[in-house]
Amino acid sequence: MVSSIISAPFVPLLYIRREFRQDRDWSYRQALTGALMKACLSVYVALRLKPKSSLSLKPCWEGDLFVTIEPAPTDLYTGITVHDKIHPETIAGTWFPSLYQYNTTTNQDKHVILHFHGGSYIIGDGRTSSSKHLANSLLENTPTSHIFSLQYRLARNRATRFPAQLQDAIAAYSYLIHTLHFPTNRIVISGDSAGGHLALSLLRYIADYDDETVLPPPTCCWLFSPWCDVPGALKQRLWDNIPNTQTDYIPASFAAWGAKQIIGNIELSRENEGYLAPIWHPFVLPSPILIVSGGREVMCQEHDRLARYLGKLQQNEERVKFFVHEMLPHDILMVAWLMGFQKEADQCASKAGNFLSQVLGASDDSEVPCVAFERQ
């Protein structure tokens, strides 16, 4: 971190020449913003800043777009989600572009997205200030009418570590299907970065849950730059040795700090590792998934491995698709507006929309390939 602070004043001058940028194809704005974001995250970790004691349940700027959610019925929490010190709590979320209510009418070909934001489980809240650009990109480029962005609990202390976030995801999914009575064949589960990890965890829980009539699977799942090995992030030296470390804005220290907060003193077992490190514990998916990665992000190789491992276990009616946009860093849908990658973010969102359309069109086709890989 010290070297980053010392070199910071010279970076704006250095990046004038393309050969000194993280990627020669990046613009000056893209290179400079990426470097500044990496420095800010490094400072955040160095100061050992922790999340607020609790996230606000007040609407603030969101107004009636912001709603609170009570815990799901107790019978929906079983197995890994039952903990003697971590219990379901009242949470909240933000609707985009407008509030969805039980009597809201939408076109039958439109879907609702349950989205989980990124932030290494230590920052973020899914509100308009941080998520409106991501939400607008998905709304404009996919066949969806509404997005519900969940404000799940951040890992701030022993009472909000794993499985608190999975408890919140279950409550949000139950809210859509049991309170708003939204049919699951019109629900897409989505997540970026740590939110992608949470989305995959929820999908695994749905697969593990005994009663499919109570917790049926969604139409499909979109994973944008998913964090797929949380315990692995504790090994900072391995992270620093990955080639894409130089082109990504996520420092090893930020991922390690998030992993430390979410895991805490949990004793890792095969049961909880399946949720914390899904890359090493693939499972039969209850719904098709799309994994979107950036070719310049540090986790790109892990995303490729995750897609392959999951694809090997699926039957013909399941499908795994992996799409890589070669020139992008981590979680572009979240940071596109900052770095100047909006065109590329819209392309990734369009891939998600196309994937959903393919899933709907192929629902009666038993010859759907198990796994497909695509690069751009």
Side-chain angles (χ1 to χ4, degrees):
M1 188 204 74
V2 175
S3 61
S4 298
I5 295 176
I6 295 175
S7 61
F10 305 99
V11 168
L13 295 176
L14 190 67
Y15 285 168
I16 292 176
R17 298 180 63 88
R18 286 188 174 273
E19 59 266 31
F20 294 125
R21 299 174 190 172
Q22 302 96 318
D23 189 294
R24 292 176 62 93
D25 293 330
W26 287 7
S27 69
Y28 179 78
R29 172 188 173 183
Q30 291 163 352
L32 181 59
T33 307
L36 292 176
M37 290 169 59
K38 193 167 191 174
C40 288
L41 291 175
S42 297
V43 171
Y44 176 89
V45 176
L47 296 177
R48 289 296 188 265
L49 297 176
K50 289 188 177 183
K52 298 178 181 179
S53 57
S54 62
L55 293 171
S56 174
L57 296 179
K58 295 182 179 180
C60 299
W61 296 105
E62 286 69 34
D64 64 359
L65 300 181
F66 190 79
V67 298
T68 56
I69 305 172
E70 296 300 319
T74 55
D75 61 332
L76 287 185
Y77 302 105
T78 185
I80 195 72
T81 63
V82 177
H83 194 280
D84 59 346
K85 295 182 179 180
I86 301 175
H87 308 287
E89 296 180 2
T90 299
I91 51 173
T94 303
W95 282 100
F96 298 94
S98 59
L99 176 67
Y100 182 91
Q101 296 175 308
Y102 178 59
N103 58 355
T104 300
T105 58
T106 62
N107 296 333
Q108 290 301 312
D109 61 342
K110 294 293 185 178
H111 286 64
V112 65
I113 300 172
L114 172 57
H115 186 79
F116 307 129
H117 68 81
S120 199
Y121 286 121
I122 52 177
I123 60 174
D125 55 20
R127 292 177 181 248
T128 53
S129 59
S130 60
S131 298
K132 66 177 180 179
H133 295 281
L134 179 149
N136 288 340
S137 185
L138 290 176
L139 287 168
E140 292 170 3
N141 294 282
T142 66
T144 56
S145 63
H146 291 78
I147 296 175
F148 184 66
S149 180
L150 181 65
Q151 179 180 281
Y152 56 82
R153 284 172 287 175
L154 300 179
R156 64 184 187 273
N157 53 45
R158 292 184 178 181
T160 55
R161 290 172 176 160
F162 179 84
Q165 296 71 30
L166 182 54
Q167 292 173 351
D168 297 347
I170 294 168
Y173 193 54
S174 175
Y175 161 69
L176 291 182
I177 62 178
H178 297 138
T179 301
L180 297 183
H181 305 285
F182 211 97
T184 53
N185 62 3
R186 291 177 59 199
I187 295 177
V188 176
I189 294 176
S190 170
D192 62 283
S193 193
H197 174 268
L198 182 55
L200 193 57
S201 295
L202 177 58
L203 208 62
R204 184 178 205 119
Y205 186 78
I206 292 172
D208 289 345
Y209 194 76
D210 288 336
D211 193 345
E212 189 173 300
T213 63
V214 177
L215 208 61
T219 296
C220 65
C221 183
W222 300 332
L223 308 177
F224 300 99
S225 299
W227 195 7
C228 45
D229 186 2
V230 174
L234 294 171
K235 304 173 183 177
Q236 293 190 52
R237 290 186 179 180
L238 294 179
W239 184 289
D240 283 329
N241 289 329
I242 298 174
N244 281 358
T245 299
Q246 303 304 315
T247 53
D248 209 345
Y249 61 84
I250 301 293
S253 58
F254 181 70
W257 182 237
K260 182 178 180 180
Q261 294 303 306
I262 192 69
I263 296 174
N265 58 358
I266 295 175
E267 184 177 346
L268 296 179
S269 64
R270 183 169 183 83
E271 182 184 20
N272 58 39
E273 276 192 343
Y275 287 87
L276 293 169
I279 189 173
W280 305 119
H281 302 273
F283 60 102
V284 177
L285 298 164
S287 306
I289 68 168
L290 168 69
I291 302 171
V292 177
S293 184
R296 299 297 179 265
E297 69 170 291
V298 71
M299 288 187 281
C300 186
Q301 293 177 333
E302 287 190 350
H303 298 153
D304 180 279
R305 189 178 298 118
L306 176 68
R308 294 183 185 279
Y309 288 178
L310 285 173
K312 290 179 180 179
L313 289 183
Q314 311 314 312
Q315 299 175 352
N316 287 339
E317 65 268 24
E318 302 289 353
R319 185 176 183 182
V320 177
K321 187 171 183 180
F322 179 47
F323 170 69
V324 181
H325 198 305
E326 292 291 354
M327 69 177 295
L328 297 182
H330 181 70
D331 195 2
I332 202 58
L333 258 67
M334 179 59 73
V335 302
W337 64 281
L338 278 173
M339 297 188 68
F341 279 118
Q342 193 58 57
K343 177 183 176 181
E344 291 77 9
D346 287 343
Q347 291 172 347
C348 292
S350 293
K351 291 294 180 182
N354 293 338
F355 178 73
L356 173 57
S357 298
Q358 291 169 6
V359 168
L360 296 174
S363 59
D364 296 325
D365 186 356
S366 61
E367 299 301 321
V368 177
C370 291
V371 58
F373 293 80
E374 183 179 355
R375 307 186 82 91
Q376 179 171 319

